[in-house]
Amino acid sequence: MLILGIETSCDETGVALYETAGTGRLLAHAVHSQVAMHEAYGGVVPELASRDHIRRLTPLARGVFAQAGRALDQLDAVAYTEGPGLAGALLVGASFAHALALALDVPAIGIHHLEGHLLSPLLSARPPGFPFVALLVSGGHTQLMRVDGIGRYALLGETQDDAAGEAFDKTATLLGLGYPGGPELARLAESGVSGHHRLPRPMIASGNLEFSFSGLKTAVMLLVRSADPDPDTQFRANVARDFQDAIVEVLTAKCARAMETTGLTRLVVAGGVGANRALRASLDAEGARRGFDVYYPETELCTDNGAMIALAAALRLQQEGRQLRKRAAFGVRPRWDLETLS
Ligand code: KG4
Ligand code: ZN
């Protein structure tokens, strides 16, 4: 089967073509990031996001068909992100997917964005087998899930306030960095020296798998305020480094605890923050010490993309052998709990 995957839940327009034959293969994928457009506003402007998805989808889709050397009439299904995400942005992808599916008389399949993220390491050269623990760390979510198979997801713990990516982004703003702050803060942290500022490790000793990151951001705010009116670059780099150290330490400790309590030996890391090099190094070291293997998506598939949506649809079709209904009516789910999937 040839599946087109469409992702428009936030500020990336992602389109991909996935072929299920054999062990399955990603034929082509393309992402347009709206970062430059939203940068001036310091965050995503939902209305602008929706309009840009409308502009980008058709050329991106044409591009992946050309790149894969396939034609529209070879398509067997269209997968799209049904939620969670920005309602207007989701509706653009859902409308595009349903219109195309209707025109080609093929089914449209709505996919949960986080299911896409947590299955995305299956597209890598070294895919994990089931069961595994997944650490989902994105701009909107920080969750530890137990994954026993497609659609078999149990929440082990999650953040009580800010998501890890959100903490990176807000702290980056405090340090005068651009949007989105995660990658910029990580870059600045490389020239920082650890241990200048003792930042909290929220909930590290809570004895459970819950997280909290808002206190960490507040601690950075107080630090920045207490500094000179115009903190120099080295000060900012040191704060960035200490902030990253704190977040990495908490995420690593919670993952280690999740591996211990579940007794599983595979940890999958997914979502934008999974691109963070310090986090990867720390999790790899912890895995080597404790005897678990850590799996990541290819770096380009850590952030939002259409490939993970096409893959999730392919795996669902394979698993369920589901008779797909063709529907003319559809909706999106801006809020959608992953655990409710089956
Ligand atoms: O998964 P994603 O692309 O979108 C959401 O679904 O949220 O994740 C985006 C988040 C942003 O908060 C961004 O700052 C963060 O991932 N991020 C990073 C890095 N690259 C992206 N955070 C820390 N270090 C990075 N290298
Ligand atoms: Zn995402």
Side-chain angles (χ1 to χ4, degrees):
M1 278 184 104
L2 185 65
I3 301 177
L4 181 70
I6 291 169
E7 155 63 36
T8 62
S9 67
C10 189
D11 60 345
E12 264 110 19
T13 319
V15 181
L17 267 180
Y18 185 85
E19 170 64 78
T20 60
T23 52
R25 199 160 63 92
L26 180 64
L27 301 181
H29 91 106
V31 175
H32 173 79
S33 166
Q34 303 178 350
V35 160
M37 185 181 76
H38 297 296
E39 200 171 13
Y41 306 93
V44 178
V45 183
E47 177 64 23
L48 294 183
S50 308
R51 291 186 212 171
D52 203 58
H53 288 310
I54 292 173
R55 273 193 292 273
R56 304 290 172 182
L57 270 175
T58 303
L60 281 176
R62 283 193 206 282
V64 295
F65 274 99
Q67 206 184 321
R70 300 296 177 99
L72 262 185
D73 62 8
Q74 294 177 297
L75 208 57
D76 295 293
V78 187
Y80 64 97
T81 305
E82 187 174 342
L86 302 170
L90 289 167
L91 274 168
V92 174
S95 308
F96 182 92
H98 277 271
L100 186 59
L102 198 65
L104 297 174
D105 195 25
V106 299
I109 308 167
I111 294 295
H112 193 294
H113 180 79
L114 295 180
E115 179 174 46
H117 272 306
L118 71 82
L119 297 177
S120 60
L122 298 176
L123 285 167
S124 68
R126 190 180 71 105
F130 296 112
F132 55 75
V133 169
L135 172 70
L136 281 175
V137 269
S138 69
H141 292 85
T142 300
Q143 296 184 329
L144 277 162
M145 309 281 308
R146 182 191 164 107
V147 179
D148 285 295
I150 306 299
R152 294 169 62 200
Y153 313 126
L155 183 67
L156 301 172
E158 65 182 333
T159 184
Q160 305 299 300
D161 40 57
D162 291 352
E166 193 179 357
F168 265 98
D169 294 341
K170 288 178 176 171
T171 303
T173 304
L174 291 170
L175 293 174
L177 302 173
Y179 158 88
E184 285 214 26
L185 191 146
R187 218 168 296 126
L188 181 62
E190 275 174 28
S191 56
V193 180
S194 298
H196 278 268
H197 312 283
R198 184 67 204 160
L199 292 174
R201 269 61 176 160
M203 296 188 80
I204 200 162
S206 64
N208 58 24
L209 297 171
E210 310 296 318
F211 304 84
S212 164
F213 294 114
S214 68
L216 193 49
K217 166 202 66 194
T218 309
V220 171
M221 187 176 74
L222 296 175
L223 252 183
V224 172
R225 273 196 198 152
S226 69
D228 290 339
D230 187 19
D232 66 26
T233 306
Q234 193 56 51
F235 171 86
R236 290 161 58 244
N238 292 345
V239 174
R241 180 61 171 257
D242 280 324
F243 167 82
Q244 183 174 266
D245 286 353
I247 235 170
V248 164
E249 201 178 310
V250 172
L251 290 172
T252 304
K254 296 286 176 173
C255 285
R257 188 175 172 81
M259 300 316 288
E260 201 180 298
T261 53
T262 58
L264 299 184
T265 56
R266 286 180 281 258
L267 173 69
V268 158
V269 182
V273 183
N276 186 277
R277 293 229 295 267
L279 177 63
R280 289 186 175 210
S282 171
L283 290 174
D284 288 345
E286 193 69 12
R289 213 166 21 245
R290 291 178 176 257
F292 61 82
D293 293 319
V294 193
Y295 298 83
Y296 308 92
E298 304 294 338
T299 310
E300 62 180 293
L301 300 182
C302 272
T303 46
D304 294 347
N305 63 82
M308 66 185 193
I309 302 304
L311 172 75
L315 294 175
R316 285 206 157 259
L317 288 171
Q318 204 175 56
Q319 146 116 358
E320 298 166 15
R322 186 164 71 173
Q323 277 301 313
L324 288 166
R325 283 184 304 129
K326 293 173 194 158
R327 296 173 301 161
F330 63 91
V332 293
R333 306 193 210 197
R335 288 176 172 275
W336 190 5
D337 186 355
L338 184 60
E339 268 197 309
T340 62
L341 283 187
S342 58

